Amino acid sequence: MEASSPTIFIVSGPGGVGKGTIVKSLVRRDPSIWLSRSWTTRAQRPGESPDAYVFATRSAFERRIAEGGFLEWTQFLGNYYGTPVPDLTSSELSGRDVVLEIEVDGARQVKALHPGAVLIFVLPPSREEQERRLRGRGDPDDKVEQRVRKAEEEEPIGRALADHIVVNDELDRTVDEMLDIIAAHRARTAASQ
Ligand code: ADP
Ligand code: 5GP
């Protein structure tokens, strides 16, 4: 029997809500989740892992767009971000589901291409708490302001596209809720095969 194709779980939400922290915890707790690594043209943040992204030049990014190497890509606050087309034949992906941590325009593109993709939209407990998290991460004032303004644009779009909305209040509770959502989708997929 052919292995079933993976479910794509998209984790999206405003900057500073905790998406990166959540997906790191998801892959630690569930080995059958494969986390896609995006490309970006933005500079690495102080203290950010060099593995957080493939940090690329604009020309390298544009070359990859021209080659059809992205599942989706967008421009966000002046930089390119994109998801490389996953290699579904790789052994790394075998028997695992895919998690993409991306913004709402990319989420819309992935859902159009893969209607079975599941969008989990993460919200902060409040705008003030989102700002606190951005500052706590070391984002400078102008970046905090940009990201909060962008969040106000993104939120209604994300809510409309979302299959699930999760408030990231307490990290462990949020991750438990996301693992429950993923388990419920897997059970439904298994029952329909
Ligand atoms: P995003 O990827 O959405 O931009 P990050 O994962 O970088 O957000 O998180 C922003 C900051 O908020 C980080 O300093 C992170 O440690 C912190 N954080 C994440 N989740 C929580 C939470 N539930 N409670 C408090 N702080 C959190
Ligand atoms: P940051 O600069 O904070 O790491 O990311 C900015 C935004 O880009 C976040 O909302 C993040 O989820 C999103 N993002 C990260 N990788 C990708 C990607 O590959 N595609 C898209 N569309 N958005 C991404």
Side-chain angles (χ1 to χ4, degrees), residues 27 31-37 86 92-93 96-100:
V27 293
S32 47
I33 288 174
W34 181 82
L35 180 62
S36 168
R37 186 146 64 110
E92 221 191 320
L93 248 162
R96 297 165 93 189
D97 291 315
V98 172
V99 167
L100 308 180

Side-chain angles (χ1 to χ4, degrees), residues 113-128:
L113 282 169
H114 296 278
V118 178
L119 172 56
I120 307 174
F121 196 66
V122 185
L123 289 173
S126 66
R127 199 59 78 208
E128 293 69 35

Side-chain angles (χ1 to χ4, degrees), residues 14-21 101 129 133 136-137 168-171:
V17 71
K19 301 177 298 296
T21 312
E101 192 250 282
E129 176 61 15
R133 289 181 191 174
R137 178 172 82 181
N168 180 23
D169 40 22
E170 204 265 305
L171 184 63

Side-chain angles (χ1 to χ4, degrees), residues 2-185:
E2 215 178 284
S4 61
S5 53
T7 301
I8 301 175
F9 292 96
I10 306 165
V11 177
S12 193
V17 71
K19 301 177 298 296
T21 312
I22 292 167
V23 298
K24 250 192 268 155
S25 177
L26 285 176
V27 293
R28 251 198 321 267
R29 289 184 50 189
D30 184 343
S32 47
I33 288 174
W34 181 82
L35 180 62
S36 168
R37 186 146 64 110
S38 295
W39 282 39
T40 185
T41 57
R42 86 149 160 75
Q44 194 181 336
R45 286 188 197 113
E48 185 174 44
S49 158
D51 298 332
Y53 284 99
V54 173
F55 292 97
T57 60
R58 289 187 80 82
S59 60
F61 199 105
E62 285 167 356
R63 227 174 10 253
R64 188 158 183 140
I65 295 174
E67 290 162 355
F70 289 112
L71 177 65
E72 61 73 36
W73 62 272
T74 198
Q75 297 214 43
F76 182 92
L77 298 176
N79 283 298
Y80 285 121
Y81 292 82
T83 304
V85 176
D87 175 7
L88 296 180
T89 62
S90 87
S91 57
E92 221 191 320
L93 248 162
S94 169
R96 297 165 93 189
D97 291 315
V98 172
V99 167
L100 308 180
E101 192 250 282
I102 61 179
E103 53 68 69
V104 289
D105 182 51
R108 181 190 53 72
Q109 295 177 50
V110 173
K111 279 188 74 87
L113 282 169
H114 296 278
V118 178
L119 172 56
I120 307 174
F121 196 66
V122 185
L123 289 173
S126 66
R127 199 59 78 208
E128 293 69 35
E129 176 61 15
Q130 181 197 358
E131 281 195 42
R132 241 190 318 276
R133 289 181 191 174
L134 286 165
R135 286 185 211 287
R137 178 172 82 181
D139 282 26
D141 285 353
D142 58 327
K143 290 276 186 298
V144 171
E145 203 187 301
Q146 270 183 341
R147 276 164 198 266
V148 167
R149 239 183 295 128
K150 184 78 182 163
E152 278 159 9
E153 271 172 42
E154 288 186 293
E155 238 180 70
I157 306 169
R159 282 180 184 274
L161 279 174
D163 298 289
H164 302 273
I165 293 177
V166 171
V167 176
N168 180 23
D169 40 22
E170 204 265 305
L171 184 63
D172 288 343
R173 191 214 61 76
T174 303
V175 173
D176 286 344
E177 185 179 349
M178 308 259 279
L179 288 171
D180 286 348
I181 290 170
I182 291 170
H185 277 276

